[in-house]
Amino acid sequence: MKIAVLSDIHGNRHALQAVLTEVNKEAVDEIWCLGDLVGYGGDPDLCVELARANFAICLAGNHDLAARGDLAFEDFSVGAELAARWTAETMRPDNLAYLKQLKSERIEEDLALYHASPRDPIWEYVLSTLLAELCLDSQARRVALIGHSHVALSFNRPAGEPATGEARRGGSEVDVAEGEWLLNPGSVGQPRDGDPRAAWLILDSSRWSADFRRTEYDVEGAAAAIRAARLPESLAERLAYGQ
Ligand code: ZN
């Protein structure tokens, strides 16, 4: 099966629409999302509508849990907290109801999906090989998909060897047929790896290849939506730097 894997959209409908346009050229079987449809960005309702129309699987991220009332706003950093409160107040009830039924992990036949990590699907950031080893020990399938850190990367542990990790640029294609893997597509709506383009992944589970992608989008449009919502200026500015 050929799957487009998206994560951390964060209310950025400009980025999501650009990625969906690219996905539609790829004849994928399904689109999966690892969570955080909302939070930070100025268009949460539009993003949830696109999710409802396009995603076969969607997880709940920490920001989705806050918007729907299942996490305390105080658990977030200041900018994220303001955005979470605004998101919860702004969103349409039917879109909040969609968020309400999402789970933070899901185990498929060949793949395990977690918003953040196999050990803690809601909060843990997997950015070191030390932590990746612990995650590889506890993931439910040989290949796991994670989001949350907003950094496109892969961790690999061949049989009997220690894990190694690599940040993944757009255009890098990885053979994941052997060994254990943790794959993070990076963030559609708020990349934090220095590349402002929307990050996503095509995973082919019959060939076992992972193809990391980047897509340019209207960053100024997304920043304008954040300003129109009167959310912190820093949330608009960081999009241009990919941080
Ligand atoms: Zn996120």
Side-chain angles (χ1 to χ4, degrees):
M1 184 158 70
K2 198 170 164 186
I3 308 149
V5 184
L6 281 52
S7 192
D8 298 280
I9 288 149
H10 285 298
N12 186 339
R13 64 109 179 157
H14 294 82
L16 179 55
Q17 283 170 327
V19 168
L20 289 174
T21 301
E22 289 300 300
V23 168
N24 284 333
K25 296 175 187 165
E26 297 287 342
V28 300
D29 297 299
E30 289 188 355
I31 305 173
W32 295 0
C33 176
L34 305 177
D36 278 354
L37 293 174
V38 304
Y40 298 123
D43 291 306
D45 274 317
L46 283 167
C47 288
V48 174
E49 276 158 40
L50 287 166
R52 292 167 71 176
N54 291 285
F55 298 168
I57 291 177
C58 189
L59 302 183
N62 49 316
H63 292 260
D64 304 318
L65 294 172
R68 75 190 207 190
D70 288 331
L71 274 183
F73 297 125
E74 295 77 22
D75 290 347
F76 290 79
S77 62
V78 177
E81 178 186 344
L82 285 167
R85 288 182 190 277
W86 175 82
T87 302
E89 286 161 14
T90 304
M91 281 184 70
R92 285 200 338 242
D94 60 316
N95 285 331
L96 283 172
Y98 172 79
L99 292 185
K100 191 78 186 169
Q101 44 88 40
L102 302 177
K103 309 241 184 314
S104 293
E105 61 180 287
R106 176 152 166 164
I107 312 303
E108 290 291 294
E109 196 184 335
D110 291 337
L111 293 157
L113 291 68
Y114 309 92
H115 171 65
S117 106
R119 305 193 318 156
D120 173 353
I122 297 172
W123 283 112
E124 187 169 70
Y125 291 89
V126 187
L127 289 166
S128 72
T129 47
L130 194 65
L131 200 48
E133 290 273 5
L134 301 173
C135 291
L136 290 161
D137 287 341
S138 54
Q139 69 194 37
R141 296 288 181 268
R142 186 180 67 79
V143 179
L145 302 170
I146 55 171
H148 190 56
S149 72
H150 299 206
V151 176
L153 51 74
S154 64
F155 291 101
N156 170 228
R157 186 166 63 185
E161 289 177 38
T164 56
E166 215 170 314
R168 293 293 180 182
R169 293 168 186 277
S172 72
E173 196 164 338
V174 186
D175 179 351
V176 299
E178 307 280 338
E180 295 163 294
W181 290 87
L182 269 169
L183 302 171
N184 189 325
S187 169
V188 169
Q190 196 200 72
R192 292 180 193 160
D193 54 7
D195 182 345
R197 296 176 299 169
W200 55 290
L201 173 71
I202 293 182
L203 183 71
D204 189 328
S205 64
S206 31
R207 289 173 54 230
W208 284 116
S209 67
D211 185 2
F212 287 82
R213 299 293 182 95
R214 298 306 278 240
T215 299
E216 285 196 37
Y217 75 95
D218 178 7
V219 172
E220 272 313 306
I226 289 170
R227 293 186 181 110
R230 297 173 175 273
L231 292 171
E233 175 62 22
S234 58
L235 298 181
E237 281 174 4
R238 67 190 298 177
L239 295 178
Y241 302 103
Q243 288 299 343

